[in-house]
């Protein structure tokens, strides 16, 4: 298991024209059961004090999407907003020669305000959901992960939601 909590921000006392503070917490867990099965879970929560997203540098904004948060969406393409809530679960089965196959379900968003988590006021505030399949090769330098995810995207020009498939590839530690 890993847990990461951090906070940062600026204040006009430090010669900044804008004030904002960001808190983020991320947790990942790996549970092995029946010797060949694994359950991976992840949770990310965040809060930003500033409602003025335009003047907050992109590196500080609450954003999500991509292979380590919401597969099926582009990397950090969801957001910005003031409240981050993302969770996911993946069931994997160990195969031969350090290969694993899995299925996953993930959901969350970067919401414009806290109430939007349960009561979205527009399509940007609706919870994003993805699901799909993964194939993992465990190596001495870390895991090679290939995922094929299906996510529901809003198409404002047609005022409809449409499922889209997307490939994701990542290299590194699972936790």
């Amino acid at each position: 298991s890993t847990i990461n909590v951090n906070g940062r921000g600026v204040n006009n006392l430090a010669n900044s024209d804008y004030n904002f503070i960001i808190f983020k917490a991320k947790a990942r867990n790996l549970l092995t059961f029946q010797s060949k099965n694994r359950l991976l879970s992840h949770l990310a929560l965040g809060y930003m004090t500033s409602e003025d997203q335009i003047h907050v540098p992109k590196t500080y904004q609450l954003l999500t999407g991509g292979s380590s948060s919401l597969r099926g969406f582009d990397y950090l393409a969801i957001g910005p907003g003031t409240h981050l809530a993302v969770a996911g679960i993946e069931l994997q089965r160990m195969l031969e020669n350090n290969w694993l196959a899995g299925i996953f379900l993930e959901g969350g968003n970067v919401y414009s305000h806290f109430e939007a988590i349960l009561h979205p006021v527009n399509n940007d505030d609706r919870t994003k959901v993805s699901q799909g399949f993964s194939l993992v090769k465990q190596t001495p330098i870390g895991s090679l992960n290939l995922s094929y995810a299906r996510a529901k995207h809003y198409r404002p020009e047609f005022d409809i939601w449409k499922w889209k498939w997307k490939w994701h590839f990542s290299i590194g530690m699972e936790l």
Side-chain angles (χ1 to χ4, degrees), residues 32-169:
T32 302
F33 60 98
Q34 295 178 347
S35 76
K36 290 195 174 222
N37 299 308
R38 302 179 350 151
L39 190 65
L40 284 90
S41 59
H42 65 91
L43 174 69
L45 301 171
Y47 172 71
M48 174 183 265
T49 60
S50 176
E51 299 287 335
D52 181 12
Q53 300 294 312
I54 295 170
H55 295 101
V56 175
K58 192 158 182 98
T59 56
Y60 284 88
Q61 292 176 358
L62 291 177
L63 302 166
T64 194
S67 61
S68 65
S69 59
L70 281 173
R71 289 172 276 192
F73 295 93
D74 289 337
Y75 177 68
L76 301 182
I78 301 170
T82 58
H83 293 77
L84 168 70
V86 174
I89 191 160
E90 182 169 357
L91 178 63
Q92 294 179 336
R93 174 85 174 162
M94 292 185 192
L95 306 173
E96 301 290 319
N97 299 317
N98 294 323
W99 284 94
L100 298 105
I103 57 172
F104 61 86
L105 176 65
E106 298 169 333
N109 198 355
V110 181
Y111 302 91
S112 61
H113 55 283
F114 184 74
E115 293 79 20
I117 295 171
L118 296 177
H119 306 289
V121 294
N122 58 45
N123 286 317
D124 288 338
D125 275 337
R126 291 191 188 278
T127 297
K128 314 294 190 268
V129 176
S130 69
Q131 57 200 10
F133 310 95
S134 65
L135 190 59
V136 179
K137 173 67 173 175
Q138 295 177 318
T139 72
I141 61 164
S143 296
L144 306 176
N145 302 289
L146 181 64
S147 298
Y148 194 48
R150 182 177 93 144
K152 214 169 190 182
H153 293 259
Y154 180 66
R155 302 279 308 269
E157 65 272 21
F158 303 114
D159 193 31
I160 61 168
W161 288 86
K162 185 173 182 169
W163 288 101
K164 288 174 54 178
W165 287 92
K166 185 167 187 63
W167 288 100
H168 290 274
F169 178 73

